[in-house]
């Protein structure tokens, strides 16, 4: 009886100790064998993917499975390939500095291809930046979607829509990745968000709003905030007409912006990348009232320090 009581106390203590180290609720399952309490599972989501295997030595996963860790993968980056499926496979799977973890083809019954294991770096992001993080190849998973990209028509870019089955595949895959790595909604981004001066993908035809509303994927503003900020907007008045204030707001959300205080070419490209993501109906690189209001609404929702 005394032993059982001690075991109970020990199990309770373990629960308290393990819970203290993390803000997340952690379930501790225990098993009692001959007066010894074994932790069978600290967190149902916790698992080992790769580990050393040494002939002649035992490497145990059971003794001290630590909860003091987080995932290396922090970002999910969306792309389109520009090329058709066979060419995309050739480019992404050959030896060289271009690859991606996943590839979604343009045929409805094709499988979703995994080209690079999730625990390895793929080379899809290039020189990149998001909210203080650089070289996002180190910390991201990349999804490439077969889509021809854009055509130039009278100086404007006309993008090709994604197919319905591609959108559904992207949604299912993204949701699964986001859940497994607990990726922050603001870290689900496009290539043009993290490299706005040189990249256009996945472009304004990518259904960011639908992914958010239908599948709870990524970040999106609340309409009530957008209209509230819009009602405050006074044209030709500081801070609404200030390039510096706009650049600071873009930087606060995540973009790499040089705080030049001018409506220069780079700032225009970054605003256009922002619009492709959050106001695809009109992506002209102009910091108009609606763009300003959406940016403020996003910063209020995701970037305000509480
Ligand atoms: Zn890309």
């Amino acid at each position: 009886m005394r032993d059982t009581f001690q075991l109970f106390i020990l199990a309770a203590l373990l629960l308290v100790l393990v819970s203290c180290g993390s803000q997340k609720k952690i379930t501790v399952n225990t098993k009692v064998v001959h007066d010894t309490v074994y932790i069978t599972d600290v967190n149902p989501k916790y698992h080992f993917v790769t580990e050393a295997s040494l002939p002649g030595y035992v490497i145990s996963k059971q003794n001290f499975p630590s909860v003091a860790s987080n995932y290396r993968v922090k970002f999910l980056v969306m792309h389109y390939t520009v090329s058709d499926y066979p060419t995309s496979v050739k480019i992404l799977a050959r030896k060289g500095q271009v690859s991606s973890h996943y590839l979604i083809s343009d045929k409805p019954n094709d499988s979703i291809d995994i080209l690079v294991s999730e625990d390895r770096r793929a080379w899809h992001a290039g020189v990149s930046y998001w909210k203080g993080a650089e070289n996002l190849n180190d910390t991201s998973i990349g999804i490439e979607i077969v889509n021809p990209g854009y055509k130039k028509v009278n100086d404007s870019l006309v993008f090709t829509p994604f197919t319905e089955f591609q959108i559904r595949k992207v949604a299912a895959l993204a949701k699964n990745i986001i859940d497994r790595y607990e990726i922050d909604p603001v870290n689900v981004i496009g290539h043009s968000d993290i490299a706005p001066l040189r990249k256009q993908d996945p472009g304004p035809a990518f259904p960011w709003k639908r992914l958010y509303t239908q599948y709870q994927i990524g970040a999106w503003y609340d309409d009530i905030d957008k209209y509230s900020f819009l009602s405050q907007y006074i044209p030709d008045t500081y801070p609404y007409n200030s390039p510096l204030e706009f650049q600071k707001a873009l930087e606060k959300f995540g973009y790499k912006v040089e705080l030049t205080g001018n409506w220069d070419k780079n700032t225009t490209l970054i605003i256009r990348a922002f619009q492709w993501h959050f106001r695809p109906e009109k992506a002209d690189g102009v910091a108009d009232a609606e763009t300003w209001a959406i940016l403020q609404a996003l910063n209020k929702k995701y970037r305000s320090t509480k």
Side-chain angles (χ1 to χ4, degrees), residues 70-95:
N70 64 4
Y71 290 107
R72 283 176 212 268
V73 173
K74 293 182 168 47
F75 304 93
L76 179 60
V77 184
M78 303 293 183
H79 306 261
Y80 60 56
T81 59
V82 180
S83 312
D84 61 18
Y85 182 58
T87 315
S88 302
V89 171
K90 220 183 258 177
I91 294 169
L92 294 167
R94 73 185 171 195
K95 210 170 155 64

Side-chain angles (χ1 to χ4, degrees), residues 175-236:
K175 189 87 186 143
N176 178 275
I177 294 166
I178 292 162
D179 285 352
R180 279 188 290 116
Y181 294 104
E182 298 166 6
I183 296 175
D184 195 333
V186 281
N187 287 350
V188 182
I189 39 193
H191 203 181
S192 58
D193 292 314
I194 59 173
L197 305 187
R198 61 185 188 89
K199 289 291 172 185
Q200 295 79 32
D201 61 320
F206 190 80
W208 290 110
K209 185 179 182 180
R210 179 175 164 192
L211 289 182
Y212 175 83
T213 48
Q214 197 175 337
Y215 302 95
Q216 297 79 54
I217 290 171
W220 201 257
Y221 57 89
D222 293 333
D223 274 337
I224 190 167
D225 290 331
K226 173 184 143 182
Y227 289 113
S228 160
F229 283 110
L230 210 46
S231 71
Q232 297 166 29
Y233 190 91
I234 309 165
D236 305 323

